[in-house]
Amino acid sequence: MSESNPARTITGEDEVVDLCRDLIRIDTSNYGDHSGPGERAAAEYVAEKLAEVGLEPQIFESHKGRASTVARIEGEDPSRPALLIHGHTDVVPANAEDWTHHPFGGEIADGCVWGRGAVDMKDMDAMTLAVVRDRLRSGRKPPRDVVLAFLADEEAGGVYGAKHLVREHPELFEGVTEAIGEVGGFSFTVNENLRLYLVETAQKGMHWMRLTVEGTAGHGSMTNDDNAVTELCEAVGRLGRHKFPIRVTKTVRSFLDELSDALGTPLDPEDMDATLAELGGIAKLIGATLRNTAAPTMLGAGYKVNVIPGQATAHVDGRFLPGLEEEFLADLDRILGPRVKREDVHADKALETSFDGALVDAMQSALRAEDPIARAVPYCLSGGTDAKSFDDLGIRCFGFAPLRLPPELDFAGMFHGVDERVPVDGLKFGVRVLDRFLDQC
């Protein structure tokens, strides 16, 4: 009788899809008020997967159910500065009736894994888990220590996740000088000979704010020249229609230069409509990085149709470019006028770093090894990530969650959108790139 062949070792590519599906099926919807399920179940799942391969993960719960998981992998040379790989496990809510496939089903269809968090950002969580588990099973240490952080609450500003850990447990990140996280490393196909991979080196700051107007309450049937609703709506209308001036930051200038070279045409930041039209889905990401923005998102006033309320409120999502916070706030106050009281609900800084150094070289090399027509380029994110918190510890942060995407996929539209999904091939590509990246980091 001949001996049977030993079972094939499971690789990161083998299990990344199942890891992603499992994470999507754990509902971690973040409503911003602790009314959701929290991230505890996801934190425990991640901890279990890390413990299975010999790590000693820790779970930190900042509020009931609001939990993050952190672990450290010892590198070949622990004397070197450490690298942080961070991802968040919470997601924005989803209405199942609007989706083709259930947002928490983790279904596979049309070559993609579907579900809330598929691109924001349980895909990167799954790729990180897959790579780490593969390397530890096969005894392959990274060149230096790597800290893994799977975080709560990013979708509401990170107060109960990254900010809590940085404030209460900074020792977890001792020796860390660089980090990679979400919303970077994804592809944009220029032509059959060139694919750009956008690496986030900057991100806009935020002012989520409440606007309030006080007026004179009264009967709805009477004339009232001091109607708070009217005053607020006029101010919100001015703000919502306002186009802030073009401001080209260092990172945006670098991206435009790279794009100009790739397209073979000069680009004028003051006349970008034609260029943005060529960028497909990523135009939504890039267009918002050319100027400050302020989007009205919520309105509230009154309690009965025949009563003029004495107060009206609105909420606005304000985003400012690096170095332009003071200009942004001054513009806001001028547009809104003296009757509108403005107060922050949540505010955080903008970030910007240069696109150079050994870590960037490792990204470039890992991408090219898996995609010969790859070119990594820097870009500015219009939103914000947990990198803002880690910057407080002096950590240099990049967005690098590598995905090779089909040109027709509206990737930017997937973020917080309906029918969020990630290509199966893209997940496996990301595992291969991250594995090579860790070899060189």
Side-chain angles (χ1 to χ4, degrees):
M1 177 183 282
S2 62
E3 293 185 4
S4 60
N5 292 327
R8 185 175 70 88
T9 302
I10 296 174
T11 68
E13 283 188 73
D14 291 333
E15 66 175 356
V16 66
V17 172
D18 285 339
L19 291 168
C20 188
R21 297 178 76 191
D22 286 350
L23 286 166
I24 287 171
R25 288 167 178 156
I26 302 172
D27 184 354
T28 51
S29 298
N30 187 348
Y31 295 89
D33 59 2
H34 301 308
S35 64
E39 301 88 352
R40 179 81 198 195
E44 291 176 350
Y45 174 87
V46 169
E48 177 185 348
K49 293 300 179 182
L50 295 177
E52 283 177 0
V53 290
L55 292 180
E56 298 180 354
Q58 296 175 270
I59 295 177
F60 299 87
E61 192 169 70
S62 57
H63 187 279
K64 184 174 175 54
R66 312 307 303 279
S68 301
T69 302
V70 182
R72 183 181 284 256
I73 305 171
E74 183 178 327
E76 294 286 355
D77 184 1
S79 68
R80 288 185 58 196
L83 172 72
L84 170 65
I85 302 177
H86 62 94
H88 62 86
T89 58
D90 66 319
V91 297
V92 295
N95 183 0
E97 295 178 356
D98 298 333
W99 287 59
T100 303
H101 301 279
H102 196 284
F104 300 107
E107 296 181 42
I108 297 178
D110 302 322
C112 294
V113 180
W114 294 61
R116 177 59 85 215
V119 301
D120 187 12
M121 62 169 297
K122 290 179 176 179
D123 58 340
M124 179 58 171
D125 294 336
M127 292 191 294
T128 301
L129 282 174
V131 170
V132 166
R133 283 166 57 84
D134 191 345
R135 295 182 71 93
L136 292 178
R137 280 192 300 257
S138 56
R140 295 182 295 133
K141 286 186 175 182
R144 53 170 161 162
D145 281 11
V146 174
V147 176
L148 307 171
F150 297 84
L151 303 158
D153 199 42
E154 191 274 346
E155 295 294 1
V159 173
Y160 296 94
K163 289 188 182 302
H164 171 78
L165 293 181
V166 166
R167 183 179 64 251
E168 302 296 333
H169 303 282
E171 72 281 356
L172 295 169
F173 310 102
E174 182 178 354
V176 173
T177 57
E178 296 170 306
I180 61 169
E182 64 174 325
V183 203
F186 56 90
S187 69
F188 168 66
T189 301
V190 178
N191 53 50
E192 62 183 12
N193 299 311
L194 179 62
R195 224 179 330 264
L196 301 182
Y197 285 82
L198 280 64
V199 176
E200 183 217 313
T201 59
Q203 56 183 246
K204 295 172 86 170
M206 65 176 71
H207 278 279
W208 292 345
M209 66 196 85
R210 180 188 297 108
L211 309 180
T212 305
V213 172
E214 304 287 346
T216 302
H219 199 289
S221 68
M222 298 182 183
T223 301
N224 188 328
D225 294 330
D226 190 30
N227 189 316
V229 175
T230 302
E231 184 71 31
L232 180 72
C233 287
E234 289 176 347
V236 168
R238 290 193 300 272
L239 184 60
R241 289 188 294 270
H242 181 74
K243 276 199 170 183
F244 290 83
I246 294 284
R247 295 285 186 262
V248 181
T249 63
K250 178 178 66 176
T251 295
V252 172
R253 180 72 269 169
S254 295
F255 172 78
L256 293 177
D257 288 345
E258 292 279 2
L259 186 63
S260 175
D261 179 68
L263 297 176
T265 181
L267 301 180
D268 179 3
E270 296 289 346
D271 184 20
M272 288 292 292
D273 288 345
T275 299
L276 291 174
E278 295 185 43
L279 298 184
I282 69 167
K284 299 172 186 175
L285 285 174
I286 303 306
T289 65
L290 296 171
R291 62 180 87 233
N292 297 328
T293 60
T297 54
M298 298 169 64
L299 287 169
Y303 56 88
K304 197 170 186 292
V305 69
N306 63 343
V307 178
I308 296 172
Q311 183 185 85
T313 62
H315 285 75
V316 172
D317 184 344
R319 309 282 177 152
F320 60 90
L321 289 163
L324 294 174
E325 183 174 16
E326 290 187 8
E327 175 183 303
F328 176 61
L329 294 177
D331 284 346
L332 279 178
D333 290 337
R334 176 179 52 80
I335 296 163
L336 293 171
R339 287 287 308 277
V340 180
K341 176 185 176 183
R342 173 177 58 81
E343 56 185 331
D344 283 334
V345 175
H346 180 81
D348 215 332
K349 60 189 172 183
L351 300 178
E352 189 164 35
T353 188
S354 56
F355 189 60
D356 55 21
L359 201 71
V360 170
D361 292 341
M363 295 176 198
Q364 298 259 25
S365 177
L367 286 167
R368 286 201 192 103
E370 293 298 331
D371 184 359
I373 63 171
R375 184 198 297 180
V377 299
Y379 92 106
C380 178
L381 175 66
S382 60
T385 73
D386 284 326
K388 295 181 188 298
S389 296
F390 296 119
D391 179 75
D392 290 343
L393 296 176
I395 298 172
R396 186 183 183 206
C397 297
F398 297 88
F400 186 65
L403 288 173
R404 185 171 62 200
L405 303 168
E408 67 275 9
L409 185 68
D410 180 11
F411 183 67
M414 299 293 166
F415 286 84
H416 299 189
V418 173
D419 285 345
E420 186 179 347
R421 60 197 182 275
V422 62
V424 168
D425 289 344
L427 289 171
K428 295 181 177 182
F429 172 84
V431 166
R432 296 194 301 271
V433 171
L434 283 176
D435 192 46
R436 289 181 181 275
F437 169 75
L438 285 180
D439 279 338
Q440 303 171 55
C441 74

